[in-house]
Amino acid sequence: QVTLKESGPVLVKPTETLTLTCTVSGFSLSNARMGVSWIRQPPGKALEWLAHIFSNDEKSYSTSLKSRLTISKDTSKSQVVLTMTNMDPVDTATYYCARILKDGDCCTWFDPWGQGTLVTVSS
Amino acid sequence: SYELTQPPSVSVSPGQTARITCSGDALPKQYAYWYQQKPGQAPVLVIYKDSERPSGIPERFSGSSSGTTVTLTISGVQAEDEADYYCQSADSSGTLWVFGGGTKLTVL
């Protein structure tokens, strides 16, 4: 059974750096057909893709947040870490990690997702 | 930046057919994916590669593509299908991924 679980602080102060960890089980981060992505959802709003990483360490970031995001992985620990600098109240959201399934060069999708973790940015 | 456009809401009566559209300039080139999200839960994949259905997803869920628009169709809608639905795809380069704004499906 594939599972992903997000962990990290529930409350951060403005200007602080957020560090979130996604711990996966049921698949390996060294699998060439899989990766992990981070996605967030502000309360009552739509999903927003943030970043992804694949087994070959290929990474990609949302254009609007690229300067603030860093994604990395520790294959031996089955963990993917996302850091977001200079947090602001508008970054208050539920942060999800999701497994990426890759089918050739054309097709990638998210399945399954973690339960999500709500991060509130407030002083 | 690339955007996918969905109607904010769709309403249908039980047993009817619901159609949710998603429009984007790169959709003729990139596949689309659909996710169902019920209140307080994480999204669940219901359609991948425009029209493929994952195992465990009821047959009443189907997807199609035509030009710059993809459509999620739910035939014989049930009360349990009431949820938010999001389309997802990539820009023309395939490197930047994006979600639509979401459509709230209400079962009357």
Side-chain angles (χ1 to χ4, degrees):
Chain A
Q1 181 188 8
V2 173
T3 63
L4 302 95
K5 187 173 177 63
E6 307 87 351
S7 59
V10 296
L11 180 66
V12 297
K13 291 181 169 55
T15 75
E16 288 186 340
T17 294
L18 171 68
T19 298
L20 294 172
T21 300
C22 176
T23 303
V24 310
S25 63
F27 73 100
S28 172
L29 295 177
S30 62
N31 189 318
R33 290 186 59 246
M34 299 178 186
V36 171
S37 190
W38 284 95
I39 299 136
R40 72 178 179 179
Q41 185 174 38
K45 296 189 177 181
L47 300 168
E48 178 183 19
W49 170 74
L50 299 178
H52 72 241
I53 188 167
F54 285 103
S55 59
N56 61 358
D57 219 35
E58 172 194 338
K59 305 168 188 176
S60 186
Y61 298 97
S62 162
T63 301
S64 61
L65 294 167
K66 186 173 184 177
S67 64
R68 299 172 54 204
L69 296 174
T70 302
I71 192 169
S72 62
K73 64 180 173 68
D74 185 329
T75 302
S76 64
K77 293 183 178 179
S78 295
Q79 292 181 333
V80 174
V81 175
L82 181 76
T83 62
M84 181 180 292
T85 61
N86 195 24
M87 293 292 284
D88 183 273
V90 300
D91 296 313
T92 294
T94 296
Y95 287 76
Y96 295 98
C97 61
R99 181 181 67 167
I100 304 167
L101 289 171
K102 189 173 183 179
D103 181 8
D105 291 331
C106 71
C107 317
T108 52
W109 58 94
F110 308 119
D111 184 46
W113 297 52
Q115 65 188 23
T117 184
L118 176 61
V119 178
T120 301
V121 184
S122 175
S123 55
Chain B
S1 62
Y2 183 52
E3 294 183 354
L4 296 173
T5 302
Q6 298 180 235
S9 62
V10 168
S11 300
V12 295
S13 299
Q16 292 192 326
T17 297
R19 294 180 178 84
I20 300 172
T21 59
C22 172
S23 299
D25 290 341
L27 289 176
K29 186 178 179 181
Q30 300 291 344
Y31 281 107
Y33 309 87
W34 290 94
Y35 303 87
Q36 176 195 66
Q37 186 180 34
K38 296 182 178 180
Q41 298 183 20
V44 172
L45 178 74
V46 294
I47 293 290
Y48 65 101
K49 292 174 65 175
D50 287 350
S51 58
E52 300 292 324
R53 192 174 55 250
S55 60
I57 300 301
E59 291 185 5
R60 62 180 181 274
F61 288 86
S62 63
S64 61
S65 176
S66 179
T68 59
T69 300
V70 293
T71 302
L72 172 68
T73 301
I74 310 172
S75 304
V77 166
Q78 301 182 5
E80 67 196 52
D81 300 329
E82 186 163 284
D84 293 327
Y85 290 85
Y86 293 90
C87 62
Q88 175 251 318
S89 187
D91 68 349
S92 56
S93 71
T95 57
L96 298 178
W97 300 347
V98 63
F99 288 92
T103 298
K104 182 175 181 58
L105 175 66
T106 300
V107 181
L108 301 170

